[in-house]
Amino acid sequence: VQPTLRALSRAKGPQIVRYNAASENVPARTRSFLFGHRNSPTDRAPALADSTIHLLAIEAPEGLSPALQQRLAEALKSGSFRAPGTKRTIFLGPRIVLITNMATLLSSQTADDLTAIGLDPALAEVMAGWVLRLPPVRERIDDLMQLITHASEQDLGRSLARAAFSAAATSLLQSHRWPGNDQELTSLVGHLCGHGAGHPLQIEDIRPLLDSETVASTADRSEKDWILEALWRHGFNRSKTAAALGISRKTLYNKIRKYNLSG
């Protein structure tokens, strides 16, 4: 999500503020954070009007009360709002992005119905036509190692590049279904932050950190299975397969001959 937010922000070196609406169980606090209050300090603008914020990402907007969702919809539609308890018009400052979990939708028939995930009809109407859907991690397997590298650089200040993983560990990660999506990926990277650079991470280092039910279906797979799946996934393009497995083309050729694989 973070790389997408940076791409959406127009400023160089943008300040991005992420606010999780579902984590706040006191609606009045959320209202004050977003819209301010008549007793708010005059030197501190509400988040929706704070010009020092380049992009404000409101996560789980469906967790806002219907009244707050309607107030937010009106502000996004008009470009301005009034702080609760005042008559002073305040104009929006940062760019506003709403982040919601579309995975909660029950079927493809409801995929375009934002009210199905709890959004008030007024807010759903404002968002209509401005929805950007990010595919889940399991649908971005070809970019998985880049996602891990970026997450480690962003959150840990150090890079977990492809070379930090053995070929078998890389294959295990690519076969995982990632039921926890981005959160699971971030958690994995966090657990690996103490790994030294002396040797590549092995399957035994990775497996305990992944969802047990998903891992159980892949735990007993042979090296031949890993390579054959990678070949199929990349249309038997050996260069792409070798890159995805984190091995050289020569090593891949040797293993293809060893296991009599072709396509």
Side-chain angles (χ1 to χ4, degrees), residues 60-71:
E62 66 274 15
L64 296 171
S65 68
L68 274 181
Q69 289 194 46
Q70 293 165 17
R71 184 187 288 269

Side-chain angles (χ1 to χ4, degrees), residues 103-123:
T104 58
L105 294 178
L106 300 179
S107 67
S108 59
Q109 284 72 30
T110 61
D112 293 320
D113 182 9
L114 298 178
T115 62
I117 57 174
L119 284 188
D120 184 88
L123 189 54

